[in-house]
Amino acid sequence: MKRTLVVGMALVALGLSVAAVRVNAVEKEEDVKVLRHIVMFKYADEASAKAISEAFVALKQEIDLIKDFEWGTNVSKEGLDKGLTHAYTLTFHSQEDLDAYIVHEAHKAFVAKLDGKVTDVCVFDYWAQ
């Protein structure tokens, strides 16, 4: 009985230690600022949207400076989109990483594919709070 009690208390103590480590890890993640690079397009036609979206997604595999990537199509009912239909959000850890991404050969090749397929674009960068 005593051994079971001691083992049980040790496991509880260990569990509390693990929980404390997890809380500290979450706090450290929140302290890390990330730079978001948002790109919004209005496409010339739907065929362009599909091909360009696939090419944009592929950049995540080609450029390891991109820490996260997501995209979607506009579903807002407010009517304030100014005709922009697709949004892409890339995450970087530093301004230097974003700067290097902009001049990266894979990014330049991607931008070249946009010619004649995108009728409007908006780019917005911010440090996540």
Side-chain angles (χ1 to χ4, degrees), residues 43-54 86 117:
Y43 286 101
D45 58 49
E46 190 57 37
S48 296
K50 185 177 186 308
I52 296 298
S53 292
E54 289 171 357
H86 292 67
K117 297 176 178 140

Side-chain angles (χ1 to χ4, degrees), residues 17-103:
S17 296
V18 170
V21 169
R22 286 186 184 145
V23 168
N24 288 338
V26 170
E27 289 171 356
K28 288 180 183 176
E29 287 175 13
E30 290 174 358
D31 291 340
V32 175
K33 297 281 186 182
V34 293
L35 182 58
R36 305 279 195 229
H37 177 69
I38 300 174
V39 180
M40 292 176 280
F41 290 144
K42 178 180 179 182
Y43 286 101
D45 58 49
E46 190 57 37
S48 296
K50 185 177 186 308
I52 296 298
S53 292
E54 289 171 357
F56 214 155
V57 168
L59 285 181
K60 172 79 166 85
Q61 274 44 52
E62 297 179 54
I63 305 174
D64 63 355
L65 298 167
I66 303 170
K67 300 307 175 195
D68 197 18
F69 180 94
E70 63 184 42
W71 73 279
T73 58
N74 181 35
V75 295
S76 175
K77 295 179 180 178
E78 294 180 275
L80 301 173
D81 52 60
K82 300 185 181 192
L84 300 165
T85 58
H86 292 67
Y88 306 85
T89 303
L90 294 79
T91 301
F92 297 91
H93 284 179
S94 68
Q95 183 65 55
E96 293 78 17
D97 286 353
L98 175 57
D99 293 344
Y101 160 80
I102 297 297
V103 297

